Amino acid sequence: MGLIIKDKANIKKYSEEEVLNKVFLGDALEVLKKLPSEFVDLVFMDPPYFLQLPSKKLVRWNVKTEVSAVDDDWDKFESFKHYDIFIEELLTEVRRVMKPNATIWAISTYHSVFRIGRIMQDLDFWILSNITWVKNNPMPNWLGVRFTNATETMIWAVKDKKNKKYTYHKDLAKEFGIGKVGANVWVIPLCSGKERLKDEDGKKLHSTQKPEELLRRIILTTSNEKDVILDPVAGVGTTGYVAKALNRKFIMIEKKPKYVKGIEKRLKVKPRKNLLNKKVIKDLKEG
Ligand SMILES: C[S@@+](CC[C@H](N)C(=O)[O-])C[C@H]1O[C@@H](n2cnc3c(N)ncnc32)[C@H](O)[C@@H]1O
């Protein structure tokens, strides 16, 4: 079988062997229900943000040019209620496939991270930490009406509060954080340059591709070699690409064929040297 599994309604179950190091083209809410229980060691989840940007074009306040905003159809929901239902269904199934000592990372901006955190607590995930990702090359606030948003929050939680045997490499975690104590702030630029996947017209293939360094830190600090890492809303597959480079197994699910094609191409490329570099780089510079 190849790398991609096209999920179909008539397939009722997938075995663990069938799904390791595979990318599902399909709806996460359907695919997750067909996976076995308690076999995943680590989850990274970067769900839609539900940004609710105005339908009119955004124009930069100073130079009056148009902003290319995240207005993808995958980010649209009818209301907060619909968004919450989606997140809850996703997290419920994700929790089922996690081993009892597995942990999960959920990332988002201020638009939805508070809702995601609350839903996680209501589903009995136990929040261990949050990391603030500081982008040292953020998009300015083009309308000039509020603070430039240069951060995203990542919630790190264990499936079961009672389970203390989760994976955490404290020396590395300390190295990656800022200051002498290694506080929970990571400074990493937005994904750009050679790392950024492009479409045939040379435009960004995905509007919210995450930096490989972000996943490198997550995977190194909270998983071990050969662990199984799940990303149920994979975009262009940053999680799987970094997991493979670091000798972990991956399972990714993505509903958009154009992104799955991007993942297929990306996984054929040899990992960049900086991914395998054991040296810890603290505050990364842009570019
Ligand atoms: C914020 S992006 C993830 C970006 C990713 N972390 C990366 O680095 O490329 C969220 C992704 O979730 C996908 N998505 C949204 N709803 C989905 C669903 N029900 N099933 C599978 N994928 C879904 C979207 O198509 C989008 O690519």
Side-chain angles (χ1 to χ4, degrees), residues 8-128:
K8 294 194 187 102
N10 64 340
I11 305 175
K12 301 291 175 219
K13 286 260 175 272
Y14 295 102
S15 70
E16 185 175 336
E17 301 73 59
E18 265 178 297
V19 303
L20 294 180
N21 296 322
K22 299 285 171 190
V23 182
F24 281 94
L25 170 59
D27 186 331
L29 300 181
E30 300 298 324
V31 174
L32 284 166
K33 287 192 192 112
K34 304 177 185 180
L35 299 184
S37 296
E38 304 201 337
F39 78 110
V40 165
D41 297 286
L42 182 71
V43 179
F44 176 79
M45 181 175 121
D46 176 18
Y49 304 84
F50 191 28
L51 288 178
Q52 307 186 60
L53 294 173
S55 49
K56 65 174 191 200
K57 287 178 180 165
L58 290 175
V59 176
R60 295 178 174 97
W61 66 276
N62 49 357
V63 285
K64 306 287 179 229
T65 51
E66 200 186 317
V67 179
S68 91
V70 178
D71 57 357
D72 307 74
D73 56 355
W74 55 257
D75 201 45
K76 299 203 172 26
F77 292 83
E78 258 175 63
S79 64
F80 277 128
K81 197 170 165 203
H82 287 84
Y83 180 77
D84 291 353
I85 290 171
F86 170 72
I87 296 292
E88 187 177 333
E89 283 185 21
L90 191 63
L91 280 167
T92 301
E93 281 308 308
V94 161
R95 192 165 185 276
R96 182 185 62 78
V97 303
M98 289 167 71
K99 288 181 183 167
N101 68 334
T103 62
I104 175 170
W105 291 82
I107 181 171
S108 203
T109 55
Y110 66 88
H111 304 85
S112 45
V113 74
F114 304 108
R115 315 185 77 78
I116 295 172
R118 186 204 158 138
I119 295 168
M120 287 174 85
Q121 288 179 321
D122 287 349
L123 291 174
D124 282 342
F125 286 98
W126 184 251
I127 298 180
L128 296 164

Side-chain angles (χ1 to χ4, degrees), residues 29 81 93 149 184 227 269 276:
L29 300 181
K81 197 170 165 203
E93 281 308 308
N149 180 30
N184 57 344
D227 274 1
V269 177
L276 305 173

Side-chain angles (χ1 to χ4, degrees), residues 160-175:
D160 176 0
K161 180 183 178 182
K162 290 190 280 318
N163 203 312
K164 308 287 179 218
K165 289 196 176 144
Y166 53 83
T167 303
Y168 175 59
H169 299 296
K170 63 174 184 299
D171 296 337
L172 264 180
K174 192 176 159 201
E175 285 290 312

